[in-house]
Amino acid sequence: MHCSTPDEPSLYTVKAVFILDNDGNRLLSKYYDPELYPTMKDQKNFESNVFSKTHKADNEIAFLEGMTIVYKSSIDLFFYVVGSAQENELMLMSVLNCLFDSLSHILRKNVERRCLLDNMEGVFLVVDEIIDGGVILESDPQQVLQKVNYRADDNPLTEQSVAQVLQSAKEQIKWSILK
Amino acid sequence: MIKKFDKKDEESGSGSNPFQHLEKSAVLQEARIFNETPINPRRCLHILTKIIYLLNQGEHFGTTEATEAFFAMTRLFQSNDQTLRRMCYLTIKEMANISEDVIIVTSSLTKDMTGKEDVYRGPAIRALCRITDTTMLQAIERYMKQAIVDKVPSVSSSALVSSLHMVKMSYDVVKRWVNEAQEAASSDNIMVQYHALGLLYHLRKNDRLAVTKMLNKFTKSGLKSPFAYCMLIRIASKLLDETEGGHDSPLFDFIESCLRNKNEMVVYEAASAIVHMPNCTARELAPAVSVLQLFCSSPKAALRYAAVRTLNKVAMKHPSAVTACNLDLENLITDSNRSIATLAITTLLKTGSESSVDRLMKQISSFVSEISDEFKVVVVQAISALCQKYPRKHSVMMNFLSNMLRDDGGFDYKRAIVDCIISIIEENPESKETGLAHLCEFIEDCEHTVLATKILHLLGKEGPRTPQPSKYIRFIFNRVVLESEAVRAAAVSALAKFGAQNDDLLPSVLVLMQRCMMDSDDEVRDRATFYMNVLQQKQKALNAAYIFNGLSVSIPGLEKSLHQYTLEPSEKPFDMKSVPLATTPITEQKTEIAPVATSKLPEKLGPSRQDIYQEQLAAIPEFQSLGPLFKSSEPVQLTEAETEYVVRCIKHTFARHMVFQFDCTNTLNDQLLQKVMVQMEPSEAYEVVNYIPALSLPYSQPGSCYTLVRLPDDDPTAVSCTFSCTMKYLVKDCDPNTGEPDDDGYDDEYVLEDLEVTVADHIQKVLKPNFGAAWEEVGDENEKEETFALASVRTLDEAVGNIISFLGMQPCERSDKVPENKNSHVLFLAGVFRGGHDVLVRARLALADGVTMQVTVRSSEETVVDVILASVG
């Protein structure tokens, strides 16, 4: 029986990372192990299974379909990092924390769906700097921010951006009440 | 324009998504602005984002449209907008597999990778390596080597990680970068250190000596990166495992020293590594357990989870080592993370005393419905282990299990429960009736065919021997009325067993059988007709042979023999004895009780090991006339581990011959062996007929040679023999690197250990589910009995184990388990002797000063009885 012996030591730590909204819709997903959930359908099934088991309780860690999943939510967003059953849970946590802190910074603490979607290019770049093909490339948010060098729109305060700020404030309040 | 878009968006409410109604064709249309001059970075950026977003949502891009968009994108390299450039890299990586001719961007990327802008260099390397294949790798090799040792950490890390990805594809090229990686490993940057270590290990992992050296170096120099420490711990524990190094090895000391690291991640990795080591003593475990104990009270859920999951694993082998943590675990049973609570409770169930079982079970039943199926299985497995430990608690458990059986749950979960109930029934005869009742209730509403048939089979086996067999008939017959074909067929077989065992039920069973003969399904009708006819004969021997114990041949073997028979029709009737016997399934090993990956592979009925051997041997012309393969032994090692040549032998028994298969491995990389054979000198009247050499045995590629031996015809009782074995071969020295051999060689030989043939090699294990019936079936015509004193044996368990392994027969009716605190025991063994003669052994054991054993042997052939008794004596 080899299930008790750890896997071959390797840098391939992260099996998948994804961000879902509060209806369980995929906003961003990356799967790094081609053997795990090879088709889009498998991936979406997995995501909806994970979402249904995790969105109610903010428990930080779960074990589903033979995978260790660490997660975190913010307003109307859910962040997930997936590793194998044998993986060091704290390593996965460090990836999740780095992802969350980096995004929180580029979104200026407005870690909610609308703001994330408005800065999607920054989100893609952040994920790309943290994980490369399943290998943890960087786990220090400061380093990630420096490498990405991305800032949310710096428009001068126009009429519409005031409206946007109000809108996002409204949503934040709404979700904090609904939660 | 943009303003308008936003306004509309706002109206549509808060849930709007700017990407929601993206149309692939519209986005690709928009991508045309990539060709406009001057480039508008903001708009282009937005379109690239849309493309990546669509790809991420699983939108399918055709090759032509993808290639078109890709080529348009390449123009954006003219812009100097940083974010836009970075998004171009991402697009390249995303499209590498769907667009054609992606190598067109090679020169742009090479320029960025070696340019002045440090922000571009790392990502450019990663994008470049993504589109580079083996042939092009040579062209950028120089740049890669430079990048690996670059002083900018992000450049070095990117180059190292990309090299690691490319090892799979171009091992030989990347291998040449080892020196650069070595240099990078001494970098001050923690991530560079980690990536360099990972690459170095990957390049050297097949060279144990190099790995050992590397470990020595890094464990001494000390690294800064916690990730690198975790990696080192994993490499060290793997090396310890492979070399079976003792726990006094410096590697173990290193892992233990990591328990005092200041980073939790490293401490946990070290504790987990120690816990997973085989043969750890309680004393070695203690420091690991105490750090895990500390983690149990961490505010971080992930850390508590990691700790309790690992403790759970310790508790399986060393419950006493975890007892010290019981208080901490108690605090976790109300944890809001139910996974943690479940693991804590199941751990406590293993370490706690019998008195705490009721309380813990109550606690767990309060939230069992909230946890995922994976953890429910963990709970069931914990209960299963508990029942073995505290048999008296089975009634509490049984109740709990029956409640769980009623809840909703997936197949794996239900199967775990059913397996658990079945094992309780088998361990505790007094729980049989309650258990069967719960299972009967379960199959009344069970959607899983596999489980229903399994339970019906169990009912057929156990039901007739209960005090009130009649009450099960209703449940079984309901299945015949209500279920699918497979379940109906299983129900018919179960009914037949009741009829065969209980005379007073026979008339009613016959009536029910009659109804089954009108079933719409062929299989069900066939079975009913068959059983009906057998039952009507009212003969014990027939019942035993055809209803209780069934066929013991290998199904693929039977299929092949029948096929052969139809190809070459003969006057003679088909002989069942010519069919190879089924090798009895090795009783399923208890799977580890932990939330490890539940295997996703469907269980296939593959050909057994013996079917494979049969096939392999039949392919050798010299063995074609030997008839069907009767038995293949487990491999026997004929060399010490770690010698020049490794040889193991598998003994194949045929009706009149034996074939010895020698699997040889040459572990010397400067030698090529040819014409390898093993010469055998028998001690008895066995005659060596033929040697089939292995023509060539290159370094580390196993090969087989065979020796054919005829068994003595005149003396059927000569079942044991010792062979002295010598391996003979032609050696050719060769170049260790290329494997190119010299032209000339010389003969050499190598003495192997002696090989024993014993009575067990002539007997195949056969499981008789109903031993009593089989005993009657064979009859006492050739019965013989003798009494022996086993002076050197101290316990009944030991005696039972010795007899089983000596005779190589199958224990039946679970008689291999000796109940505790008893002075006598009866062991039932069944098997088939070479030539197809059934043989049954009943051994009555009594423990006094030593063990006294009365052996009764029955067989259809008298000589077989003599052989067995002679060999026991």
Side-chain angles (χ1 to χ4, degrees), chain B residues 602-613:
Chain B
E603 288 160 36
K604 262 188 282 179
L605 186 72
S608 69
R609 190 171 147 264
Q610 190 168 335
D611 292 328
I612 297 168
Y613 286 133

Side-chain angles (χ1 to χ4, degrees), chain B residues 377-392:
Chain B
V377 173
V378 175
V379 174
V380 175
Q381 286 167 334
I383 294 174
S384 184
L386 203 58
C387 291
Q388 281 173 6
K389 200 165 142 202
Y390 304 122
R392 274 184 297 157

Side-chain angles (χ1 to χ4, degrees), chain A residues 56-86:
Chain A
K56 277 183 221 133
D58 199 2
N59 274 335
E60 195 170 300
I61 186 157
F63 184 82
L64 289 163
E65 303 190 19
M67 310 297 269
T68 301
I69 298 153
V70 294
Y71 61 100
K72 202 178 185 109
S73 67
S74 167
I75 310 179
D76 50 359
L77 290 173
F78 290 82
F79 300 84
Y80 297 89
V81 175
V82 182
S84 82
Q86 285 81 28

Side-chain angles (χ1 to χ4, degrees), chain B residues 436-437 439-444 456 459 470-480 491:
Chain B
L436 289 180
L439 292 175
C440 281
E441 189 195 330
F442 174 60
I443 53 169
E444 289 279 45
L456 283 168
L459 285 176
S470 59
K471 67 178 175 191
Y472 300 106
I473 301 274
R474 177 172 65 87
F475 290 102
I476 299 174
F477 193 67
N478 278 348
R479 298 305 101 214
V480 178

Side-chain angles (χ1 to χ4, degrees), chain B residues 358-536:
Chain B
D358 294 296
R359 184 175 57 86
L360 291 168
M361 296 301 286
K362 207 167 169 186
Q363 181 80 32
I364 205 165
S365 48
S366 67
F367 65 78
V368 76
S369 58
E370 292 172 43
I371 57 181
S372 67
D373 267 16
E374 276 89 348
F375 280 99
K376 285 181 184 166
V377 173
V378 175
V379 174
V380 175
Q381 286 167 334
I383 294 174
S384 184
L386 203 58
C387 291
Q388 281 173 6
K389 200 165 142 202
Y390 304 122
R392 274 184 297 157
K393 283 284 165 201
H394 67 78
S395 61
V396 185
M397 303 299 164
M398 198 61 106
N399 247 326
F400 188 73
L401 288 169
S402 69
N403 285 332
M404 287 174 103
L405 209 44
R406 278 185 213 115
D407 287 345
D408 290 338
F411 171 69
D412 285 324
Y413 173 45
K414 296 282 172 169
R415 185 177 59 177
I417 304 174
V418 169
D419 286 347
C420 183
I421 294 185
I422 292 178
S423 77
I424 296 178
I425 293 175
E426 286 176 343
E427 301 283 334
N428 310 282
E430 64 269 41
S431 69
K432 192 187 279 179
E433 286 196 60
T434 8
L436 289 180
H438 288 313
L439 292 175
C440 281
E441 189 195 330
F442 174 60
I443 53 169
E444 289 279 45
D445 182 24
C446 168
E447 55 191 313
H448 308 293
T449 309
V450 183
L451 294 181
T453 49
K454 188 171 187 169
I455 292 170
L456 283 168
H457 179 75
L458 179 80
L459 285 176
K461 193 170 140 234
E462 300 291 346
R465 289 188 265 179
T466 54
Q468 266 188 297
S470 59
K471 67 178 175 191
Y472 300 106
I473 301 274
R474 177 172 65 87
F475 290 102
I476 299 174
F477 193 67
N478 278 348
R479 298 305 101 214
V480 178
V481 183
L482 297 167
E483 298 276 355
S484 65
E485 294 82 7
V487 180
R488 295 208 298 273
V492 168
S493 301
L495 272 182
K497 288 182 183 145
F498 282 85
Q501 180 96 10
N502 308 91
D503 289 338
D504 45 335
L505 286 178
L506 183 60
S508 357
V509 168
L510 286 176
V511 172
L512 296 175
M513 252 339 147
Q514 204 114 41
R515 286 188 54 183
C516 300
M517 282 163 70
M518 287 177 284
D519 196 278
S520 60
D521 182 70
D522 287 351
E523 173 72 20
V524 180
R525 273 200 314 274
D526 288 354
R527 285 197 192 193
T529 314
F530 174 73
Y531 289 131
M532 181 86 185
N533 284 305
V534 174
L535 286 172
Q536 278 168 341

Side-chain angles (χ1 to χ4, degrees), chain A:
Chain A
M1 290 288 284
H2 269 269
C3 65
S4 64
T5 51
D7 295 337
E8 175 74 32
S10 95
L11 299 189
Y12 294 96
T13 307
V14 182
K15 297 278 182 193
V17 54
F18 46 89
I19 305 175
L20 308 179
D21 69 10
N22 60 342
D23 296 321
N25 296 317
R26 163 194 284 204
L27 300 179
L28 178 150
S29 283
K30 297 290 275 174
Y31 286 77
Y32 299 106
D33 183 347
E35 279 161 36
L36 180 80
Y37 310 116
T39 70
M40 191 57 62
K41 197 170 154 237
D42 296 336
Q43 295 180 1
K44 294 211 167 161
N45 284 343
F46 175 61
E47 283 161 29
S48 70
N49 182 22
V50 169
F51 181 75
S52 68
K53 298 275 165 50
T54 54
H55 75 286
K56 277 183 221 133
D58 199 2
N59 274 335
E60 195 170 300
I61 186 157
F63 184 82
L64 289 163
E65 303 190 19
M67 310 297 269
T68 301
I69 298 153
V70 294
Y71 61 100
K72 202 178 185 109
S73 67
S74 167
I75 310 179
D76 50 359
L77 290 173
F78 290 82
F79 300 84
Y80 297 89
V81 175
V82 182
S84 82
Q86 285 81 28
E87 196 45 74
N88 186 324
E89 290 84 348
L90 302 183
M91 270 197 180
L92 299 176
M93 255 342 254
S94 76
V95 174
L96 179 68
N97 287 334
C98 176
L99 175 68
F100 188 84
D101 294 346
S102 308
L103 290 181
S104 162
H105 194 272
I106 65 165
L107 303 179
R108 299 186 177 151
K109 303 229 169 3
N110 296 327
V111 187
E112 44 95 22
R113 180 170 174 276
R114 179 61 205 249
C115 191
L116 183 100
L117 285 169
D118 283 342
N119 295 285
M120 209 54 203
E121 56 272 27
V123 181
F124 283 129
L125 291 176
V126 161
V127 172
D128 180 63
E129 281 298 348
I130 298 176
I131 310 154
D132 185 274
V135 178
I136 303 175
L137 197 59
E138 185 53 76
S139 67
D140 176 359
Q142 283 311 316
Q143 294 293 325
V144 172
L145 291 169
Q146 205 184 331
K147 288 182 197 174
V148 170
N149 196 15
Y150 174 90
R151 320 187 67 189
D153 267 344
D154 266 335
N155 282 349
L157 223 54
T158 58
E159 189 192 349
Q160 81 187 356
S161 64
V162 171
Q164 258 177 13
V165 170
L166 278 177
Q167 177 70 32
S168 95
K170 237 165 41 191
E171 275 177 41
Q172 285 209 27
I173 292 164
K174 194 172 104 192
W175 283 112
S176 56
I177 293 167
L178 281 179
K179 255 174 103 77

Side-chain angles (χ1 to χ4, degrees), chain B residues 551-689:
Chain B
L551 289 176
S552 50
V553 295
S554 127
I555 300 298
L558 178 62
E559 188 183 346
K560 210 173 281 168
S561 306
L562 282 171
H563 182 62
Q564 197 63 35
Y565 186 76
T566 53
L567 288 180
E568 298 161 14
S570 73
E571 292 298 307
K572 281 190 290 180
F574 179 74
D575 181 10
M576 274 307 269
K577 285 186 179 164
S578 70
V579 182
L581 292 169
T583 34
T584 39
I586 301 142
T587 35
E588 208 179 313
Q589 289 206 327
K590 291 268 182 238
T591 40
E592 289 230 2
I593 303 161
V596 288
T598 38
S599 74
K600 285 183 200 151
L601 295 170
E603 288 160 36
K604 262 188 282 179
L605 186 72
S608 69
R609 190 171 147 264
Q610 190 168 335
D611 292 328
I612 297 168
Y613 286 133
Q614 164 102 20
E615 195 107 322
Q616 286 171 353
L617 293 174
I620 299 169
E622 283 84 347
F623 302 151
Q624 272 170 359
S625 58
L626 301 181
L629 173 60
F630 178 72
K631 181 180 186 177
S632 296
S633 74
E634 290 298 313
V636 184
Q637 298 293 340
L638 296 183
T639 50
E640 309 267 330
E642 312 270 327
T643 46
E644 300 96 309
Y645 311 114
V646 178
V647 180
R648 50 174 217 169
C649 176
I650 298 159
K651 298 174 272 185
H652 301 290
T653 312
F654 290 83
R656 295 215 164 80
H657 297 84
M658 287 189 86
V659 170
F660 299 94
Q661 173 183 343
F662 297 94
D663 294 337
C664 315
T665 311
N666 168 12
T667 62
L668 300 175
N669 63 1
D670 56 354
Q671 280 193 0
L672 171 72
L673 306 189
Q674 289 184 329
K675 297 182 196 150
V676 184
M677 60 168 227
V678 176
Q679 188 177 345
M680 301 178 77
E681 300 284 347
S683 64
E684 305 287 327
Y686 285 46
E687 181 195 347
V688 176
V689 183

